[in-house]
Amino acid sequence: IYEAVHQLYIEFRDSTNDIAFLSTMLALSTLFFILVFRQVKKTVYGFPLLRTIVADFAPVISLAMMTGFSVIFPEVHIKKLNVPSRFETTKGRDWYIDLSDSDIKLVLACIGPALLATLLVFLDQNITSRLVNSNKHRLRKRGGFHLDLLVTGLLIGGCSFFGLPWLVAATVRSLTHVYSLSTTRGLKLEDGTPYNIIEHVRENRLTGFASHLLIGISLLAVKILKHMPMPVLYGVFLYMGISTMEGNTFFDRIKLFFIQPTEYPQTEYVKNVRILKIHIFTLLQLLLFVALWVVKSTDTIAVSFPVVIALLAPIRLFLFPRFFTQDELRYLDGDEEEGESSHEEISNETIIEK
């Protein structure tokens, strides 16, 4: 979300008004149509297969629509996807990196940054795996945390020999993948607030393999992709960010600051933790989030970003218990597995497949 908004801000700062406004319109329109098409499956229009296809391919359909719409304004030169016309390294260097040519001083100097990078990869991989294997996703197959980390390490080592970007866990894309394979059911809280839970996920290896295969095949469509407006992609990025925020207790608790207390949704933490404690917990999390953001955005200290992430664990384990009881932390952490017996099903008609 930040990257999409930041790029649109740059358009207003550095481009003419017509480019900036058209870019914003394309991004927001793409986001709007994706959200609309994703809801088609809940309607009664058309036949079930058509509704399913439109909902499942909402990003692709919206991207194609808004790309076609941008053609109407040929005189407005918006940014297009920068795709190289030749398959080669960026600066024309050799593909293989000969480490024997490196000076010993340079090798020694790389040890420190390498340790920080290792820490960051370890945390990023395990955080993503933890989120994907959350209890609320009701996955049947057990997680392979160690195997995933081993494969990631081998791929990073191989990419390094060729000077290629590292392949690391993609948190937002991984969660979006899980949600796209999930079947959800509508329920109600005790106060009548509707919400969705995941009934099951179609766990398979085919979709992951097929999506990355299509990414590779996209090299054959370079002449088409280079005409794709970047603002349309910003709209897709906005959707990916917004869709993964659904059900995130951190964002749900932030919204409580702007809701009348008597209208709070009767979630487990609202029913079992005092409101003041909920707000204090949220403010502490928000403070840590801002600290991470400042470190990441400041060039002079950005290298310490992995260390700051690693410090979050001892802060949670040793500092937070000074302000909250273990029961309060159990509810506020959002890891409790809520039983369906405490909820009222809306109706069989609200069962939707994502």
Side-chain angles (χ1 to χ4, degrees):
I1 294 176
Y2 168 76
E3 290 298 331
V5 174
H6 180 65
Q7 291 300 323
L8 292 175
Y9 162 75
I10 292 177
E11 295 289 356
F12 278 95
R13 186 189 65 186
D14 300 336
S15 303
T16 58
N17 288 339
D18 54 349
I19 295 177
F21 280 110
L22 180 59
S23 297
T24 303
M25 183 178 69
L26 289 175
L28 296 181
S29 297
T30 303
L31 171 63
F32 171 77
F33 282 114
I34 293 177
L35 295 175
V36 170
F37 291 149
R38 288 292 292 174
Q39 301 301 314
V40 167
K41 192 180 291 186
K42 299 179 182 179
T43 67
V44 295
Y45 299 105
F47 49 91
L49 179 60
L50 177 62
R51 296 199 299 266
T52 300
I53 293 176
V54 172
D56 289 345
F57 291 91
V60 178
I61 297 173
S62 303
L63 191 148
M65 283 178 50
M66 299 316 300
T67 298
F69 179 77
S70 67
V71 178
I72 302 176
F73 306 93
E75 67 281 2
V76 183
H77 302 290
I78 56 179
K79 288 183 180 178
K80 301 296 178 65
L81 183 64
N82 185 16
V83 182
S85 57
R86 299 174 58 186
F87 187 73
E88 60 182 0
T89 56
T90 305
K91 296 185 179 180
R93 60 167 177 80
D94 293 334
W95 282 99
Y96 178 70
I97 304 297
D98 190 356
L99 298 180
S100 62
D101 291 341
S102 302
D103 185 86
I104 186 62
K105 294 181 180 179
L106 177 62
V107 174
L108 294 175
C110 290
I111 294 177
L115 292 174
L116 293 176
T118 301
L119 178 62
L120 181 60
V121 170
F122 176 82
L123 293 171
D124 183 48
Q125 175 65 40
N126 282 281
I127 289 172
T128 302
S129 297
R130 174 65 181 83
L131 292 173
V132 168
N133 289 278
S134 173
N135 289 334
K136 69 180 182 180
H137 294 155
R138 304 177 185 273
L139 300 181
R140 296 186 299 273
K141 299 179 181 178
R142 301 177 64 181
F145 294 91
H146 299 299
L147 180 60
D148 290 345
L149 192 59
L150 173 63
V151 173
T152 300
L154 293 175
L155 290 174
I156 288 177
C159 290
S160 298
F161 278 106
F162 296 97
L164 299 176
W166 288 356
L167 298 175
V168 296
T171 307
V172 173
R173 192 173 66 189
S174 298
L175 290 174
T176 303
H177 187 204
V178 173
Y179 297 151
S180 67
L181 296 171
S182 65
T183 298
T184 63
R185 177 167 48 161
L187 298 177
K188 285 183 180 179
L189 295 173
E190 292 180 357
D191 62 347
T193 302
Y195 76 107
N196 293 324
I197 65 167
I198 292 179
E199 281 199 317
H200 68 87
V201 176
R202 298 179 182 84
E203 301 172 59
N204 67 92
R205 296 183 177 92
L206 179 61
T207 52
F209 173 78
S211 61
H212 288 82
L213 178 63
L214 290 173
I215 292 175
I217 295 177
S218 66
L219 292 174
L220 303 177
V222 168
K223 293 183 179 180
I224 299 176
L225 294 177
K226 68 180 181 180
H227 296 292
M228 186 177 300
M230 286 301 298
V232 174
L233 295 178
Y234 300 155
V236 177
F237 297 158
L238 287 172
Y239 165 73
M240 292 178 64
I242 293 173
S243 63
T244 54
M245 290 169 59
E246 182 180 356
N248 187 303
T249 57
F250 177 51
F251 293 104
D252 289 342
R253 283 186 277 101
I254 288 178
K255 290 189 291 186
L256 295 183
F257 286 110
F258 309 98
I259 299 177
Q260 182 179 335
T262 56
E263 301 298 326
Y264 283 176
Q266 293 302 299
T267 57
E268 291 298 310
Y269 56 83
V270 170
K271 292 188 295 183
N272 294 278
V273 183
R274 287 188 300 161
I275 300 302
L276 178 61
K277 286 292 190 75
I278 294 176
H279 289 331
I280 292 175
F281 185 86
T282 306
L283 288 174
L284 288 174
Q285 276 192 311
L286 193 58
L287 179 63
L288 293 173
F289 174 78
V290 172
L292 282 173
W293 193 273
V294 171
V295 171
K296 175 182 178 293
S297 304
T298 307
D299 294 336
T300 54
I301 58 175
V303 69
S304 63
F305 182 70
V307 177
V308 179
I309 291 183
L311 288 175
L312 295 180
I315 289 175
R316 165 61 183 83
L317 292 174
F318 303 110
L319 180 60
F320 275 38
R322 295 179 178 271
F323 302 97
F324 309 95
T325 66
Q326 289 301 321
D327 284 339
E328 289 173 338
L329 289 174
R330 181 167 59 88
Y331 287 111
L332 291 170
D333 279 338
D335 287 335
E336 71 275 11
E337 185 70 16
E338 298 181 4
E340 293 187 21
S341 59
S342 61
H343 305 293
E344 175 189 352
E345 294 188 21
I346 294 179
S347 66
N348 290 332
E349 287 73 24
T350 61
I351 297 179
I352 59 174
E353 289 192 356
K354 283 191 173 183

